[in-house]
């Protein structure tokens, strides 16, 4: 079908709807993959200490994302796609020509097996949101047969990525505000509570929890995560 103005507008609108909660994010991300002639799309969160708080890979079950983490895919020392993507500014686009995927696969057999098993041979990506503790990235992934992304497809990806960023940022801010609101409610209840993400990193805590942590008798904080004293 190719990249044209009507399709660009349609996929951009899908991200706008996803940001409003009116469309699943998977549909918008897959729409971008289809626009660029790619086999799948990806919306990923990368945290500190090689954590991967979320990883939406369209057309595949959650086990594929779990295998990515097990293979060390979130580690910039192992995965040049993560390393390069983490180093560039928001909305800067990088494609397979910028990565060292073949070398990564040689040095990390586990990551190489994951890439070969699902034929995730070529990636085009950009960071949408970069903060101290989180990077939210958008990517399209292509098979060996599809090859690296073309010039017009890359331009289409960059155009839609700006709309994706505009949709993701309010959702991310709303999520953080909800964490603070939840901590306030727990304060009112007098509960000692810690709110953590899927990787175990602490996002917020109630006032009684602050006192409990400060006491140091039972709990302490190690690299942003709770640990027994």
């Amino acid at each position: 079908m190719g990249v044209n103005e009507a399709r660009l507008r349609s996929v951009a609108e899908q991200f706008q709807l996803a940001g409003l909660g009116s469309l699943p994010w998977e549909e918008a991300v897959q729409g971008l993959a289809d626009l660029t002639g790619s086999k799948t799309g990806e919306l990923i969160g990368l945290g500190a200490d090689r954590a991967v708080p979320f990883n939406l890979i369209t057309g595949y079950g959650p086990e594929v994302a779990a295998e990515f983490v097990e293979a060390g895919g979130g580690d910039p020392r192992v995965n040049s796609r993560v390393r390069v993507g983490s180093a560039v500014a928001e909305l800067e686009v990088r494609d397979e020509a910028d990565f060292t995927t073949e070398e990564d696969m040689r040095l990390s057999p586990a990551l190489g097996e994951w890439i070969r098993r699902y034929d995730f041979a070529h990636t085009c990506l950009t960071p949408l949101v970069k903060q101290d503790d989180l990077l939210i990235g958008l990517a399209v992934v292509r098979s060996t047969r599809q090859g690296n992304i073309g010039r017009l497809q890359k331009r289409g990806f960059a155009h839609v990525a700006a709309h994706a960023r505009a949709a993701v940022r309010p959702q991310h801010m709303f999520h953080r505000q909800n964490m603070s609101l939840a901590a306030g409610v727990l304060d009112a209840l007098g509960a000692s509570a810690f709110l953590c993400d899927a990787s175990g990193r602490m996002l917020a805590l109630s006032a009684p929890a602050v006192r409990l942590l400060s006491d140091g008798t039972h709990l302490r904080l190690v690299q942003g995560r709770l640990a027994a004293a």
Side-chain angles (χ1 to χ4, degrees):
M1 295 174 63
V3 177
N4 56 55
E5 186 174 344
R7 294 193 70 202
L8 284 170
R9 184 167 56 249
S10 175
V11 178
E13 289 174 354
Q14 285 182 317
F15 276 99
Q16 293 166 14
L17 291 172
L20 294 171
S22 301
L23 188 76
W25 283 100
E26 184 168 5
E27 290 192 28
V29 177
Q30 184 59 48
L32 178 59
D34 293 340
L35 174 74
T36 58
S38 305
K39 68 178 296 182
T40 187
E42 183 177 22
L43 185 65
I44 187 171
L46 298 168
D49 304 320
R50 303 179 296 281
V52 185
F54 63 88
N55 191 5
L56 170 65
I57 304 174
T58 62
Y60 293 87
E63 68 279 0
V64 176
E67 291 169 9
F68 172 79
V69 175
E70 292 172 3
D75 188 343
R77 298 171 301 180
V78 171
N79 189 345
S80 64
R81 295 168 177 177
V82 170
R83 183 169 62 254
V84 172
S86 299
V88 299
E90 293 178 356
L91 296 182
E92 281 192 42
V93 178
R94 295 292 183 268
D95 63 31
E96 198 60 39
D98 300 299
F99 313 135
T100 57
T101 303
E102 289 188 8
E103 183 179 353
D104 299 344
M105 294 170 69
R106 286 196 302 270
L107 296 176
S108 174
L111 180 62
E113 171 58 24
W114 184 83
I115 291 173
R116 281 188 291 268
R117 184 184 310 138
Y118 299 107
D119 196 11
F120 292 163
H122 304 277
T123 298
C124 178
L125 57 79
T126 189
L128 300 180
V129 175
K130 292 186 71 174
Q131 298 181 341
D132 291 340
D133 60 344
L134 180 68
L135 181 150
I136 300 176
L138 179 68
V140 291
V141 184
R142 300 165 64 85
S143 68
T144 303
R145 181 181 59 81
Q146 289 171 328
N148 196 18
I149 195 166
R151 180 177 58 86
L152 291 179
Q153 295 165 329
K154 189 174 178 179
R155 286 176 58 187
F157 174 87
H159 175 85
V160 173
H163 294 272
R165 180 178 183 271
V168 163
R169 283 179 61 85
Q171 284 265 325
H172 176 56
M173 293 173 61
F174 182 64
H175 172 71
R176 285 181 173 265
Q177 290 168 352
N178 279 350
M179 291 297 101
S180 298
L181 178 62
V185 171
L186 294 168
D187 282 348
L189 295 174
S192 296
F194 303 86
L195 303 178
C196 304
D197 64 16
S199 71
R201 190 173 185 83
M202 193 170 67
L203 302 176
L205 68 168
S206 64
V210 173
R211 293 192 291 271
L212 181 64
L213 193 60
S214 299
D215 177 75
T217 303
H218 302 291
L219 295 171
R220 61 193 179 96
L221 203 60
V222 180
Q223 295 183 336
R225 293 175 174 81
L226 287 174

